Amino acid sequence: MNVTLSEHSPSVTDTQPAQQAKNVLYAQAGGVTAVINVSAAAVIETIQQHPEKFGKTYAAINGIKGVLEEELVDLTDISTATLAKLKYQPGAAFKACRFDLDPLEHNPEQYRRVLEVFKTYEIGYFLYNGGNGSMVTAQKVADYCCRHGHPVTCVGVAKTIDNDLALSHCSPGFGSAAKYLATSFLNATLDIIAMHETSTKFFVLEAMGRNTGWLTLATGLIKDVIPDAPIIILPAERPFNEQAFFDKVDHFIATQGYCVCAVSEGLVKENGDYISIANIEHTHERDYVQLGGVGATLAHLVGKHLNSKTHYAIPDYCQRSASHMVSQTDWQMAYDAGKEAVNAAFRGEHGVLPIIELTSTEPFEYRFKTVELNAVADLENTVPDHFLTEDGMDITQAALDYLRPLIQGEHGAPFKKGLPDIAPIAFTLVDKQLPAFKALK
Amino acid sequence: MNVTLSEHSPSVTDTQPAQQAKNVLYAQAGGVTAVINVSAAAVIETIQQHPEKFGKTYAAINGIKGVLEEELVDLTDISTATLAKLKYQPGAAFKACRFDLDPLEHNPEQYRRVLEVFKTYEIGYFLYNGGNGSMVTAQKVADYCCRHGHPVTCVGVAKTIDNDLALSHCSPGFGSAAKYLATSFLNATLDIIAMHETSTKFFVLEAMGRNTGWLTLATGLIKDVIPDAPIIILPAERPFNEQAFFDKVDHFIATQGYCVCAVSEGLVKENGDYISIANIEHTHERDYVQLGGVGATLAHLVGKHLNSKTHYAIPDYCQRSASHMVSQTDWQMAYDAGKEAVNAAFRGEHGVLPIIELTSTEPFEYRFKTVELNAVADLENTVPDHFLTEDGMDITQAALDYLRPLIQGEHGAPFKKGLPDIAPIAFTLVDKQLPAFKALK
């Protein structure tokens, strides 16, 4: 794969490049991926190549929350062994927060605190590894610091399993989750083929994806193995039409004896309501409606419709933390995302995000280019119409051609004593220099 | 590993060994495993070593149902390539039925038909690859044939992911499912560690296991990696005590900030009712109550209790068909189970099942010995008390020592173009020679 430097610099910090090395702060935010720590390793390794430019490397624990609370670790002298571990570690080694800063006008104290921490630790570069939403936070922080006399070069590091990152060909983290889901679905389909004549005739797998159906679509990759697989794909983008769905189930049962289905957790009815909302009567403190259960709902509906046994699987977090099922392509993209973020910072690009641009489909080649954080923040890249058949319930050849390269190659964690050789990594917090600050009320 | 021939022959067919080679019929029954086809390959390969004893090798499609319906394939000249595929194929390559013969007095026609098919195809050996329940079917068939002048040497081939096979050290199929669940649980635990401070504090994984908690227990293997993991294990054998459970959740949240839980699908209340029954208002034709959903129920209960976000995963069929996550130990046991069944047939042992006897714990060594089918049929091996801590919600060192060897080594399917190199195998049915017979009413 061909990874080049960016072609343009959308926004360069007003100040001249620092005469002396400034420190770097890296943090992770939002839902984790199987390869987010690969990006962390790349950030650290690339920084190490430029001692004239970059001073100490810090990571915040729990993203921006750790910045506020001065929960930092010093990675400047990280060991080779720990770096090697990061390259296989699922979850977020530095902990990822679901926590955003309040709007400046509502809570200026937060912003003053971030600035204070940045000044104290002489942070000149802020690298935020997150999804679309996290990019807003990164941009707000950097803007505030710049306006208050402490210019910080702020660069995003892309990650999300949802593949909803706007402008980018795809998102680091997606390929591995897609590989996990397609593999699981292929295995389960062989199970159903084996059993359906006297047992389960309908199986549904519920994939993550609140607003986008990319992960659901990825199960369609089993068509590369079983071209006529009786599969129904229900992405979040298309409202659920119960009659059309039942008709398709009936058709497959009649012609092939079974039907396998993949559904986005965020599947909605025609009126926009979610098909299934878990724990509806209590939402957690951040007032984030929790989804989950549409797989059970569909299995139940089809069971009644067919008067037959049905089954459903909900991989949930297992699909985004599968250390043993990492796509080599995705791993490399995650590494490149971290490396290119540091390269952008090196060039003094501020308020940017390196994204993936396809340069060749055959062979599959891409490069990174930077776009403004504002251009992608809070946008969502949904599954395009031509990736779904006319009935909206099946994958097209174009979608298969798009998805296939992203799951190529195996870069799973090595096994040790029967399990993936992964474990929580202990980092020592730096001694706090500032008064305590509580991020959560 | 040391695999020896059996020491004793509990029951030898009354007739003298056949002067000429008789044919073999192999079939698969009950829930599939990731390695059931490894046993099939072993049966075929071992038969090939004894052409003086064994004639043609047939497999029935859909277990005993395929015998009744004369849906047979001739494996005598199976290609090396197909044999190689069987060694990685999940599901049941010859299809596995959830179908048992009726009691003889209710439906003698079924037994006459089986005998007719056996006579037509000159079947002298019947190898039935299934769980405890399937062994009853195998025994009934063989007894009937013997009583009606067509002696058939009937040998079981053990398999079940549930590990509930009586008398045996463990069941072929369990080790791979255990490895899958422990790996998934370790990955997910690192996810929760990364996210719990601002997001999900409680995660529960629902494992298969209607009456036994072996698979649930296997998640406890993460203690080999994270010795103080705040894990709660709820096996099917122990009634659910909500207050004790909440107390333990609260303790872990207070001390470690998060809690991970594994629960058997068959978890029951003190009164013996299932905690959760899926699709309760319709049961499929065989009147088999379908479980599923206890994970969602627990996540919901804890969410209300903690007023916090919770998550649940239900791997469902993915845990028993994970071609990419096969334990080498389990793979070898599945191979040996098939091989030893043929060896028992070769010796003329009738009505037996080769089971696993541990001969050494350090190093881990076992051998097969045969026991009477009647001795294991319809029995269930449950998790012993000393494998659970006093509160019944945690794994003991003894259980870890028992489980660990079973997940050792990786024998997953090779990958091809991003997915496991597996696909449905097409077998050609032999031309039917008998009048049609419908097994299902």
Coordinates of all heavy atoms in Angstrom, one line a residue, chain A residues 23-28 37 40 43-44 47 55-63 65-67 69-79 82 86 92-95 117 121 123 425-433:
Chain A
N23 N 5.8 19.7 23.8 CA 5.3 18.4 24.2 C 4.0 18.0 23.5 O 3.3 18.9 23.0 CB 5.1 18.3 25.7 CG 6.4 18.6 26.4 OD1 7.5 18.3 25.9 ND2 6.3 19.2 27.6
V24 N 3.7 16.8 23.4 CA 2.6 16.2 22.7 C 1.6 15.6 23.7 O 2.1 14.9 24.6 CB 3.0 15.2 21.7 CG1 1.8 14.7 20.9 CG2 4.1 15.7 20.8
L25 N 0.3 15.8 23.6 CA -0.7 15.1 24.4 C -1.6 14.3 23.4 O -2.1 14.8 22.5 CB -1.5 16.1 25.2 CG -2.6 15.4 26.1 CD1 -1.9 14.6 27.1 CD2 -3.5 16.5 26.7
Y26 N -1.6 13.0 23.7 CA -2.5 12.1 22.9 C -3.6 11.6 23.8 O -3.4 11.3 25.0 CB -1.6 10.9 22.4 CG -2.4 9.7 21.9 CD1 -2.9 9.8 20.6 CD2 -2.6 8.6 22.7 CE1 -3.6 8.7 20.1 CE2 -3.3 7.5 22.2 CZ -3.8 7.6 20.9 OH -4.5 6.5 20.4
A27 N -4.8 11.4 23.3 CA -5.9 10.8 24.1 C -6.8 10.1 23.2 O -6.9 10.3 22.0 CB -6.6 11.9 24.8
Q28 N -7.6 9.2 23.8 CA -8.5 8.3 23.1 C -10.0 8.6 23.5 O -10.2 8.9 24.7 CB -8.2 6.9 23.3 CG -6.8 6.5 22.9 CD -6.3 5.1 23.3 OE1 -6.7 4.6 24.4 NE2 -5.6 4.4 22.4
N37 N -5.3 1.1 19.6 CA -4.0 1.2 20.2 C -2.9 1.0 19.2 O -1.7 1.4 19.5 CB -3.9 0.1 21.3 CG -4.9 0.3 22.4 OD1 -5.1 1.5 22.9 ND2 -5.6 -0.7 22.8
A40 N -2.2 4.5 18.5 CA -1.4 5.0 19.7 C 0.1 4.7 19.5 O 0.9 5.5 19.7 CB -1.9 4.5 21.0
V43 N 1.6 6.8 16.8 CA 1.8 8.1 17.2 C 3.1 8.2 18.0 O 4.0 9.1 17.8 CB 0.6 8.6 18.1 CG1 1.0 9.8 18.9 CG2 -0.6 8.9 17.2
I44 N 3.3 7.3 18.9 CA 4.5 7.3 19.8 C 5.7 7.1 19.0 O 6.7 7.8 19.1 CB 4.3 6.3 20.9 CG1 3.1 6.6 21.8 CG2 5.6 6.2 21.7 CD1 2.7 5.4 22.7
I47 N 6.5 10.1 16.7 CA 7.0 11.2 17.5 C 8.5 11.0 17.8 O 9.3 11.9 17.7 CB 6.2 11.4 18.8 CG1 4.8 12.0 18.5 CG2 7.0 12.2 19.8 CD1 3.9 11.9 19.7
G55 N 8.8 17.2 22.1 CA 9.5 17.0 23.4 C 8.9 15.7 24.0 O 9.0 14.7 23.5
K56 N 8.3 15.9 25.2 CA 7.7 14.8 25.9 C 6.4 14.3 25.2 O 5.7 15.1 24.6 CB 7.4 15.1 27.3 CG 8.7 15.1 28.2 CD 8.4 15.6 29.6 CE 9.5 15.5 30.6 NZ 10.0 14.1 30.8
T57 N 6.1 13.1 25.3 CA 4.8 12.5 24.9 C 4.0 12.1 26.1 O 4.4 11.3 26.9 CB 5.0 11.3 23.9 OG1 5.9 11.7 22.9 CG2 3.7 10.8 23.4
Y58 N 2.8 12.8 26.2 CA 1.9 12.4 27.3 C 0.7 11.8 26.7 O 0.3 12.0 25.5 CB 1.5 13.6 28.0 CG 2.6 14.3 28.8 CD1 3.2 15.5 28.4 CD2 3.0 13.8 30.1 CE1 4.2 16.1 29.1 CE2 4.0 14.4 30.8 CZ 4.6 15.6 30.3 OH 5.6 16.2 31.0
A59 N 0.0 10.9 27.5 CA -1.3 10.5 27.1 C -2.2 10.8 28.3 O -1.8 10.7 29.5 CB -1.4 9.0 26.8
A60 N -3.4 11.3 27.9 CA -4.5 11.5 29.0 C -5.2 10.2 29.2 O -5.5 9.5 28.2 CB -5.4 12.6 28.5
I61 N -5.6 10.0 30.4 CA -6.4 8.8 30.7 C -7.9 9.2 30.6 O -8.3 10.2 31.2 CB -6.1 8.3 32.2 CG1 -4.6 7.9 32.3 CG2 -7.0 7.1 32.5 CD1 -4.2 6.8 31.3
N62 N -8.7 8.4 29.9 CA -10.1 8.8 29.7 C -10.3 10.0 28.9 O -11.1 10.9 29.2 CB -10.8 8.9 31.0 CG -11.2 7.6 31.7 OD1 -11.8 6.8 31.0 ND2 -10.8 7.4 32.9
G63 N -9.5 10.2 27.9 CA -9.7 11.2 26.9 C -9.7 12.6 27.5 O -8.9 12.9 28.4
K65 N -11.6 14.0 29.6 CA -11.8 13.9 31.0 C -10.5 13.9 31.8 O -10.3 14.5 32.8 CB -12.7 12.7 31.4 CG -12.9 12.5 32.8 CD -14.0 11.4 33.0 CE -14.1 11.0 34.5 NZ -13.0 10.3 35.1
G66 N -9.6 13.1 31.3 CA -8.2 13.0 31.9 C -7.4 14.2 31.8 O -6.6 14.5 32.7
V67 N -7.7 15.0 30.7 CA -7.0 16.3 30.6 C -7.5 17.2 31.7 O -6.7 17.8 32.5 CB -7.3 16.9 29.2 CG1 -6.6 18.3 29.1 CG2 -6.8 16.0 28.1
E69 N -8.8 16.4 34.5 CA -8.5 15.9 35.9 C -7.0 15.7 36.1 O -6.6 15.2 37.1 CB -9.3 14.6 36.1 CG -10.8 14.9 36.1 CD -11.7 13.7 36.5 OE1 -11.1 12.6 36.4 OE2 -12.9 13.9 36.8
E70 N -6.2 16.1 35.1 CA -4.8 16.0 35.1 C -4.3 14.5 35.4 O -3.4 14.3 36.1 CB -4.2 16.9 36.2 CG -2.7 17.3 36.0 CD -2.1 18.0 37.2 OE1 -2.9 18.4 38.1 OE2 -0.9 18.1 37.3
E71 N -5.1 13.6 34.7 CA -4.7 12.2 34.8 C -3.9 11.9 33.6 O -4.4 11.6 32.5 CB -5.9 11.4 34.9 CG -6.8 11.7 36.1 CD -7.0 10.5 37.0 OE1 -7.5 9.5 36.6 OE2 -6.6 10.7 38.2
L72 N -2.6 12.0 33.7 CA -1.7 11.9 32.5 C -0.6 10.9 32.8 O -0.3 10.6 33.9 CB -1.0 13.3 32.3 CG -1.9 14.5 32.1 CD1 -1.1 15.7 32.0 CD2 -2.9 14.3 31.0
V73 N -0.2 10.3 31.7 CA 1.0 9.4 31.8 C 2.0 9.9 30.8 O 1.7 10.5 29.8 CB 0.6 7.9 31.5 CG1 -0.4 7.3 32.5 CG2 0.0 7.7 30.1
D74 N 3.2 9.7 31.2 CA 4.4 10.1 30.4 C 4.9 8.9 29.6 O 5.4 7.9 30.1 CB 5.5 10.7 31.3 CG 6.6 11.2 30.5 OD1 6.7 11.0 29.3 OD2 7.5 11.9 31.2
L75 N 4.7 9.0 28.3 CA 5.1 7.9 27.4 C 6.5 8.1 26.7 O 6.8 7.4 25.8 CB 4.0 7.8 26.3 CG 2.6 7.5 26.8 CD1 1.6 7.5 25.6 CD2 2.5 6.1 27.4
T76 N 7.2 9.2 27.1 CA 8.4 9.5 26.4 C 9.4 8.4 26.4 O 10.0 8.1 25.4 CB 9.0 10.8 27.1 OG1 8.0 11.7 27.3 CG2 10.2 11.3 26.2
D77 N 9.5 7.7 27.5 CA 10.4 6.6 27.6 C 9.7 5.2 27.7 O 10.1 4.3 28.3 CB 11.3 6.8 28.9 CG 12.1 8.1 28.8 OD1 12.6 8.4 27.7 OD2 12.1 8.8 29.8
I78 N 8.6 5.2 27.0 CA 7.9 3.9 26.9 C 8.8 2.8 26.5 O 9.6 3.0 25.6 CB 6.6 4.0 26.0 CG1 5.7 2.8 26.1 CG2 7.0 4.3 24.6 CD1 4.4 3.0 25.4
S79 N 8.6 1.6 27.0 CA 9.5 0.5 26.7 C 9.1 -0.1 25.3 O 7.9 0.0 24.9 CB 9.4 -0.6 27.8 OG 8.2 -1.2 27.7
T82 N 6.2 -2.5 25.8 CA 4.9 -2.0 25.9 C 4.4 -1.5 24.6 O 3.2 -1.7 24.2 CB 4.9 -0.8 26.9 OG1 5.4 -1.3 28.2 CG2 3.5 -0.2 27.1
L86 N 0.9 -2.7 22.7 CA -0.1 -1.8 22.2 C -0.6 -2.2 20.8 O -1.7 -2.1 20.4 CB 0.4 -0.4 22.1 CG 0.5 0.4 23.4 CD1 1.1 1.8 23.2 CD2 -0.9 0.6 24.0
A92 N -9.2 0.4 24.8 CA -8.4 1.6 24.7 C -7.4 1.5 25.8 O -7.8 1.6 27.0 CB -9.3 2.8 24.7
A93 N -6.2 1.4 25.5 CA -5.1 1.2 26.5 C -5.1 2.4 27.5 O -4.8 2.2 28.7 CB -3.8 1.0 25.9
F94 N -5.5 3.6 27.0 CA -5.4 4.8 27.8 C -6.8 5.2 28.3 O -7.0 6.3 28.8 CB -4.7 5.9 27.1 CG -3.3 5.5 26.6 CD1 -3.1 5.2 25.3 CD2 -2.3 5.4 27.6 CE1 -1.8 4.8 24.9 CE2 -1.0 5.0 27.2 CZ -0.8 4.7 25.8
K95 N -7.7 4.3 28.1 CA -9.2 4.5 28.4 C -9.8 5.6 27.5 O -9.2 6.6 27.3 CB -9.4 4.8 29.9 CG -8.8 3.6 30.7 CD -9.2 3.8 32.2 CE -8.7 2.6 33.0 NZ -8.9 2.7 34.4
V117 N -3.9 23.1 32.0 CA -3.2 21.8 32.0 C -2.2 21.9 30.8 O -1.0 21.5 30.9 CB -4.2 20.6 31.8 CG1 -3.4 19.3 31.5 CG2 -5.0 20.5 33.1
Y121 N 1.9 21.6 31.3 CA 2.7 20.5 30.7 C 3.3 20.9 29.3 O 3.9 20.0 28.6 CB 1.9 19.2 30.5 CG 1.5 18.6 31.9 CD1 0.4 19.0 32.6 CD2 2.4 17.7 32.5 CE1 0.2 18.5 33.9 CE2 2.2 17.2 33.8 CZ 1.0 17.6 34.5 OH 0.8 17.1 35.7
I123 N 2.2 21.7 26.5 CA 1.6 21.0 25.4 C 1.5 21.9 24.2 O 0.8 22.9 24.2 CB 0.2 20.4 25.7 CG1 0.3 19.5 27.0 CG2 -0.4 19.6 24.5 CD1 1.2 18.3 26.9
I425 N -2.7 -3.1 30.4 CA -1.3 -2.5 30.6 C -1.4 -1.4 31.7 O -2.2 -0.6 31.6 CB -0.8 -1.9 29.3 CG1 -0.9 -2.9 28.1 CG2 0.6 -1.3 29.4 CD1 -0.6 -2.3 26.7
A426 N -0.5 -1.6 32.7 CA -0.5 -0.6 33.8 C 0.4 0.6 33.4 O 1.6 0.4 33.0 CB 0.0 -1.3 35.0
F427 N -0.1 1.8 33.5 CA 0.6 3.0 33.3 C 0.7 3.8 34.6 O -0.3 3.8 35.3 CB 0.0 3.8 32.2 CG 0.1 3.2 30.8 CD1 -1.0 2.6 30.2 CD2 1.3 3.3 30.1 CE1 -0.9 2.0 29.0 CE2 1.4 2.7 28.8 CZ 0.3 2.0 28.3
T428 N 1.8 4.4 34.9 CA 1.9 5.2 36.1 C 1.5 6.6 35.8 O 2.1 7.2 34.9 CB 3.3 5.1 36.6 OG1 3.7 3.8 36.7 CG2 3.4 5.8 38.0
L429 N 0.6 7.2 36.6 CA 0.2 8.6 36.4 C 1.3 9.5 36.8 O 2.1 9.2 37.8 CB -1.1 8.9 37.2 CG -2.4 8.2 36.8 CD1 -3.5 8.6 37.7 CD2 -2.7 8.5 35.3
V430 N 1.5 10.6 36.1 CA 2.5 11.6 36.6 C 1.9 12.3 37.8 O 0.7 12.3 38.0 CB 2.7 12.7 35.5 CG1 3.3 12.0 34.2 CG2 1.5 13.5 35.1
D431 N 2.8 12.8 38.7 CA 2.4 13.5 39.9 C 1.6 14.7 39.5 O 2.1 15.5 38.6 CB 3.6 13.8 40.7 CG 4.2 12.6 41.4 OD1 3.5 11.6 41.5 OD2 5.4 12.6 41.6
K432 N 0.5 15.0 40.1 CA -0.3 16.1 39.7 C 0.3 17.4 40.2 O 0.9 17.5 41.3 CB -1.7 16.0 40.3 CG -2.5 14.8 39.7 CD -3.9 14.7 40.1 CE -4.6 13.5 39.4 NZ -6.0 13.4 39.7
Q433 N 0.2 18.4 39.5 CA 0.8 19.7 39.8 C -0.2 20.8 40.1 O 0.1 21.9 40.5 CB 1.8 20.2 38.7 CG 2.9 19.2 38.4 CD 3.8 19.7 37.2 OE1 4.1 20.9 37.2 NE2 4.2 18.8 36.3

